[in-house]
Amino acid sequence: MLTKNNLLLLWLLLLTAGFAKAQQPNTGKISTNLKWSERMALSIIKNNPEPWMIEFSKQPVWSYPQGLVLHGFEKIWRQDQKQHQHYFDYIKAYADKLIDEKGNIKTYDATNFNIDMMNSGKILFNLYEVTKDEKYKIAIETLREQMKWQPRTTEGGYWHKLRYPWQLWLDGAYMGSPFLAQYGKTFGDKTAFDDVANQLLLMEKHLRDSKTGLLYHGWDESKLQPWADQQTGRSPNFWGRAIGWYAMAIVDVLDFLPQDHPKRKDVIGILQRLAPALQKYQDVKTGLWYQVVDQGNREGNYLEASASSMFVYALAKGANKGYLDKSFRQVAEKGFKGLTEQLIKVQPNGEVNLTQVCAVAGLGAGRDGSYEYYVNEKIRTDDPKGTGPFVLASLELNK
């Protein structure tokens, strides 16, 4: 016989079970009826119970790949906050693991002046807005303070890191610029907008190749690096993901750069010059792009997932926002079709995996920027530098 107390206990148990279900995504079978963005997101969560694990990490670390993936999760959450609460919780779990109650960021050292460390700061704006917890604002200000003192080239371009003196890397455009632009809009910092526009314009000035329309990976103002051309200071090749970082930076910065900013049209112009070059070097058969973008027929080169995902995202967003001609959405659609048909594997439980992602590439410390260097770097499945942009690309195309 059910007593009043028993009924109350049963009700509490059902309520708790329902709450737990709402808080946790289904990590069993992943439905193929979901959009690709959620299929990939749920697969990432399934394989990384703790968000700091996303970059194959053995210990919690403040780094850029986690922010890259979690930024995509935030966009999924925004589509239906009640339905997608588990994504918000997953994002918050990363921030709370790495930021203490006083706002200190664990494993972060500002004196390294590593611009990569800015990227995960983007997830803190929404966390602060939703929770009003001051620790997130303190952490945001800590990252902003680094950028105030970041070493610069003589024209004001941010060094990629303190240990890479006088060097602009395309990677740094994405790591720092969208964070700074969002900071500028959130806290009314007009100097941040000026810096952001200047960084993007300086990179095009020094890294764009007029013949191909593509951009080289890095530029050394001092021309002292072994990889730097003695006339131009440029590195010797067009690495796909480096250009992808830059393309994503442009379209994301434009979300925050004021409509009346004097250099907004110049920033849009960068994208309008880059998009036709990306279309030109898109593989006709698959719709994908190569690790070394302009040398698709050369031995050892391969169709690379992170660059392809980044280009799809930037072109789709550029077309959707009206920065680019609508025809570039078709270029993006073709690229996304190539990703899902050529580089995505679907497991029996519905889990999806992204193959052929370059693990990492850089310049200096024995990395000479040669063709052979880029095509021989380690290739991974489900590297977050690929899965994160894949989620973003899928969202932009509503796939």
Side-chain angles (χ1 to χ4, degrees), residues 291 300 302-305 355-360 374-381 383:
Q291 166 78 337
Y302 61 95
L303 296 165
E304 201 275 328
T355 63
Q356 290 184 205
V357 186
C358 173
V360 68
Y374 286 115
V375 299
N376 284 294
E377 274 286 20
K378 186 176 180 180
I379 300 171
R380 280 175 168 167
T381 293
D383 189 289

Side-chain angles (χ1 to χ4, degrees), residues 240-252:
R241 187 156 75 227
I243 302 172
W245 289 129
Y246 186 62
M248 290 204 303
I250 295 166
V251 294
D252 285 0

Side-chain angles (χ1 to χ4, degrees), residues 164-355:
Y164 298 137
W166 307 109
Q167 297 168 47
L168 302 182
W169 291 17
L170 289 178
D171 319 41
Y174 184 79
M175 301 305 159
S177 295
F179 168 81
L180 275 181
Q182 189 167 1
Y183 182 93
K185 184 171 183 179
T186 304
F187 298 108
D189 184 350
K190 293 182 180 180
T191 61
F193 294 136
D194 296 338
D195 252 344
V196 162
N198 196 38
Q199 302 310 309
L200 297 175
L201 292 167
L202 283 173
M203 286 189 176
E204 188 193 39
K205 174 183 176 181
H206 292 294
L207 292 166
R208 185 176 186 269
D209 174 55
S210 59
K211 183 183 296 185
T212 62
L214 300 171
L215 291 95
Y216 293 96
H217 187 176
W219 175 69
D220 172 22
E221 183 177 24
S222 71
K223 302 173 186 173
L224 293 174
Q225 296 301 315
W227 51 259
D229 183 277
Q230 290 304 296
Q231 299 300 316
T232 65
R234 296 166 172 171
S235 59
N237 281 290
F238 304 116
W239 178 41
R241 187 156 75 227
I243 302 172
W245 289 129
Y246 186 62
M248 290 204 303
I250 295 166
V251 294
D252 285 0
V253 158
L254 289 168
D255 289 342
F256 306 105
L257 197 64
Q259 292 289 333
D260 61 353
H261 192 278
K263 293 185 178 178
R264 182 178 172 86
K265 289 183 179 179
D266 296 329
V267 173
I268 294 173
I270 299 172
L271 184 65
Q272 291 173 341
R273 287 184 288 276
L274 178 57
L278 297 181
Q279 182 180 17
K280 177 183 176 182
Y281 288 101
Q282 184 179 33
D283 181 57
V284 175
K285 183 179 179 181
T286 65
L288 300 171
W289 284 267
Y290 281 89
Q291 166 78 337
V292 180
V293 179
D294 65 325
Q295 300 186 53
N297 295 324
R298 193 167 172 184
E299 185 179 356
N301 211 354
Y302 61 95
L303 296 165
E304 201 275 328
S306 66
S308 296
S309 297
M310 290 173 175
F311 295 157
V312 168
Y313 170 67
L315 293 173
K317 187 171 182 179
N320 288 345
K321 293 281 189 177
Y323 311 137
L324 297 174
D325 186 87
K326 292 181 180 179
S327 63
F328 283 102
R329 184 179 168 97
Q330 296 172 3
V331 179
E333 294 271 10
K334 182 177 180 181
F336 194 78
K337 186 172 186 285
L339 284 166
T340 55
E341 292 184 355
Q342 303 290 327
L343 301 184
I344 286 284
K345 289 186 176 179
V346 180
Q347 304 299 333
N349 66 354
E351 178 186 332
V352 296
N353 306 112
L354 184 65
T355 63

Side-chain angles (χ1 to χ4, degrees), residues 9-73:
L9 180 60
L10 180 61
W11 178 79
L12 287 171
L13 287 171
L14 289 171
L15 182 66
T16 303
F19 177 77
K21 185 178 180 181
Q23 297 299 304
Q24 296 295 330
N26 179 9
T27 54
K29 190 171 179 63
I30 297 171
S31 173
T32 57
N33 292 325
L34 295 170
K35 292 188 183 298
W36 282 109
S37 51
E38 275 213 79
R39 294 172 70 182
M40 178 59 76
L42 291 173
S43 298
I44 292 170
I45 293 173
K46 183 176 185 295
N47 290 309
N48 300 279
E50 296 287 344
W52 54 264
M53 297 176 177
I54 286 171
E55 174 64 353
F56 309 101
S57 303
K58 295 182 179 179
Q59 298 292 332
V61 61
W62 182 262
S63 191
Y64 71 91
Q66 288 83 355
L68 174 65
V69 171
L70 297 180
H71 176 60
F73 286 12

